[in-house]
Amino acid sequence: MSTLRRFGSTGMDITPLGFGTWVISGSGWQYSWGATDDADSVAAIRHAVDRGVNWIDTAAAYGLGHAEELVGRALAGIPERERPYLFTKAGLIWEDGDDPNGPPLRVLTPASIRRELESSLRRLGTDHLDLYQVHWPATGARFVYGAEGEPTDAATPLEEYWQVMADLRKEGKVRAIGLSNHDVRQLERAEAVAHVDAIQPPFSALNRTAAPEIAWAAAHDTGVIVYSPLQSGLLTGAFTADRVLGADDWRRNYPEFTTELPTNLAFVDALRPIAARHGAAVAEVALAWATAWPGITGAIVGARTPDQIDGWIGAHDLTLTAADLDDIAAALAATGAGTGPVRP
């Protein structure tokens, strides 16, 4: 198992990879990955912990709480001292009467944040969180994945919702607080109110646009956990051009899986000889690349079954050479895949 990494100023040391739960949240909601088997999901969580993963990232929005319930179920029989750190998020809600297959609201009023926290604690079966994060900036409008969204008159100002998060930290309900999907300008505004313990941006070899936020975090002793380091499955090495995604899989209508797919798969093919040099899986190379980026503490990786974890856990101990990094940078340049700087 790889050496633990200092998670900013939180006092926590975490493994380079954490278990993510979006993929196990089940079907019947707007951003589902398709149907899943709850028994397999619980087994996957326990297997990740058995393999040394010491943190789990989830969110109240995943399956409208279902993912948090599965985490609570998986950890129920594990002694407190042996449990992984628990990280979750608030800010995407479906109001009574809303269609779960429709978009949630981006709401961060003080009352809503506190209400969501109590619900998450109940589902997770704990009385505190190790990290509580704002999922997306508030707009007071419906959420569309990947869209920034302009604040409406109903939006809670950032300074107001971040003060509530700081209050929860002071009250001991949460150990650390973080911001997911916030840009540098928003991070600066939050830092003026209270220290930002952690950020969670998307980041992978195919999506490198969060480099400025990661650099900001490094300069402010802020931990960084990145999501989608395998670009929603594209960098596993198992995705093919003829794979058909289910009708209830959110990925089926996104450009990276449609018009951009040939370019993305060409880059994945360029990773295969690098993986072969190390006797590793393509997914492990992609994860080692992401976690080698200066300022990144860890990366969130999902799995539906225990065997999927065995396909990426080796990245904990994989160190890419300078030549590997040069080859990956050259492949990004040659294929034109993704955007952002091409080398750590």
Side-chain angles (χ1 to χ4, degrees), residues 165-183:
M165 298 290 283
D167 291 344
L168 291 172
R169 181 176 59 188
K170 185 176 181 179
E171 293 164 17
K173 284 281 190 177
V174 302
R175 179 173 180 175
I177 53 176
L179 293 167
S180 180
N181 299 300
H182 285 61
D183 62 25

Side-chain angles (χ1 to χ4, degrees), residues 129-162:
L129 292 174
D130 297 295
L131 174 65
Y132 200 35
Q133 302 158 98
V134 174
H135 208 152
W136 287 83
T139 63
R142 294 290 173 183
F143 171 78
V144 178
Y145 182 69
E148 288 300 318
E150 292 298 324
T152 69
D153 290 343
T156 303
L158 184 151
E159 288 78 7
E160 185 174 337
Y161 65 70
W162 191 239

Side-chain angles (χ1 to χ4, degrees), residues 6-328:
R6 178 177 175 271
F7 192 25
S9 58
T10 66
M12 292 180 273
D13 295 320
I14 64 174
T15 47
L17 304 178
F19 187 90
T21 64
W22 182 9
V23 73
I24 63 170
S25 57
S27 59
W29 68 291
Q30 175 76 1
Y31 295 104
S32 166
W33 294 67
T36 52
D37 182 279
D38 286 354
D40 285 345
S41 299
V42 168
I45 295 168
R46 290 175 176 164
H47 188 61
V49 175
D50 288 343
R51 292 297 307 266
V53 171
N54 80 341
W55 55 285
I56 294 173
D57 182 83
T58 187
Y62 298 161
L64 283 69
H66 187 59
E68 288 183 334
E69 291 171 349
L70 291 173
V71 172
R73 188 187 311 176
L75 301 184
I78 299 177
E80 184 73 25
R81 66 184 180 279
E82 298 174 15
R83 291 188 180 188
Y85 294 124
L86 291 178
F87 306 162
T88 194
K89 315 177 197 75
L92 297 182
I93 66 169
W94 284 262
E95 295 182 323
D96 289 345
D98 281 350
D99 178 3
N101 286 300
L105 282 165
R106 289 165 64 159
V107 175
L108 286 163
T109 64
S112 185
I113 290 174
R114 288 182 176 276
R115 191 161 50 243
E116 282 201 78
L117 174 60
E118 294 305 321
S119 295
S120 289
L121 292 174
R122 184 181 65 254
R123 287 188 291 261
L124 290 165
T126 184
D127 60 1
H128 73 282
L129 292 174
D130 297 295
L131 174 65
Y132 200 35
Q133 302 158 98
V134 174
H135 208 152
W136 287 83
T139 63
R142 294 290 173 183
F143 171 78
V144 178
Y145 182 69
E148 288 300 318
E150 292 298 324
T152 69
D153 290 343
T156 303
L158 184 151
E159 288 78 7
E160 185 174 337
Y161 65 70
W162 191 239
Q163 183 62 61
V164 178
M165 298 290 283
D167 291 344
L168 291 172
R169 181 176 59 188
K170 185 176 181 179
E171 293 164 17
K173 284 281 190 177
V174 302
R175 179 173 180 175
I177 53 176
L179 293 167
S180 180
N181 299 300
H182 285 61
D183 62 25
V184 169
R185 178 184 58 84
Q186 292 164 328
L187 296 175
E188 288 283 4
R189 288 172 58 190
E191 186 72 10
V193 174
H195 180 55
V196 179
D197 292 320
I199 66 169
Q200 185 182 141
F203 194 79
S204 76
L206 294 176
N207 179 3
R208 308 174 303 276
T209 56
E213 286 72 37
I214 295 167
W216 182 93
H220 289 80
D221 200 17
T222 293
V224 180
I225 52 174
V226 297
Y227 72 87
S228 294
L230 294 177
Q231 203 57 33
S232 304
L234 283 172
L235 293 173
T236 61
F239 209 94
T240 62
D242 58 357
R243 180 174 173 181
V244 177
L245 296 171
D248 57 351
D249 191 318
W250 70 271
R251 299 173 293 176
R252 66 182 317 212
N253 296 317
Y254 280 76
E256 60 211 270
F257 292 90
T258 54
T259 55
E260 299 169 8
L261 186 60
T263 296
N264 292 335
L265 292 182
F267 171 68
V268 172
D269 285 341
L271 295 182
R272 297 187 192 280
I274 300 170
R277 288 203 293 264
H278 290 277
V282 167
E284 291 170 332
V285 171
L287 292 171
W289 183 91
T291 54
W293 200 273
I296 291 179
T297 317
I300 302 164
V301 197
R304 296 171 185 257
T305 60
D307 63 290
Q308 288 183 346
I309 293 166
D310 294 333
W312 51 253
I313 196 69
H316 265 153
D317 301 308
L318 175 59
T319 300
L320 299 177
T321 66
D324 294 330
L325 296 174
D326 287 342
D327 287 347
I328 293 170

